[in-house]
Amino acid sequence: MGKNRSRRNLIDRARRLERAVTEYLELPADAVLDLPRLTLVGNSRLVVENHRGISEYQPDLVRLKLSTGELEIKGTGILLREIKPDAIALEGTIQSLRFL
């Protein structure tokens, strides 16, 4: 258990250092830190960049894997309009977004 704790501390320190360097150099955090970028157009189209895949898909619920956890999208008639290795476009009536 001690190895896991020290590894986790090392990872946390590395992430803090990445954030500090990103802020100091005024670089876009989503590109450098591999953070998700969400673009919502009204409530009918959502584009998620820097995703890690789909963990669940139903017409009223979509869950996407992210580097920071998961994103839950609820709505009606949600369609996967476009899937690329680095971006997913959804269309339908989007009612809520929740980070898990």
Side-chain angles (χ1 to χ4, degrees):
M1 187 160 34
K3 288 183 182 180
N4 287 337
R5 179 174 284 168
S6 62
R7 186 172 193 275
R8 189 175 24 214
N9 286 341
L10 183 60
I11 291 170
D12 288 343
R13 288 176 57 194
R15 286 184 182 151
R16 284 194 303 268
L17 179 61
E18 285 177 336
R19 285 188 190 109
V21 169
T22 299
E23 288 176 14
Y24 180 77
L25 296 176
E26 298 180 5
L27 299 172
D30 59 321
V32 176
L33 301 177
D34 200 29
L35 296 175
R37 176 186 291 243
L38 282 64
T39 305
L40 183 62
V41 181
N43 69 335
S44 62
R45 182 172 171 82
L46 174 67
V47 178
V48 180
E49 298 175 72
N50 297 329
H51 68 88
R52 296 281 181 262
I54 301 168
S55 60
E56 183 176 349
Y57 173 77
Q58 298 173 27
D60 61 346
L61 172 71
V62 177
R63 284 193 179 157
L64 301 178
K65 297 176 191 175
L66 307 173
S67 61
T68 57
E70 285 193 341
L71 174 64
E72 178 183 81
I73 302 123
K74 288 186 178 180
T76 55
I78 300 174
L79 300 171
L80 296 172
R81 186 56 66 192
E82 188 175 347
I83 302 174
K84 295 180 180 179
D86 62 339
I88 291 180
L90 304 170
E91 289 184 355
T93 303
I94 298 168
Q95 297 167 338
S96 69
L97 302 173
R98 186 172 84 160
F99 290 93
L100 305 173

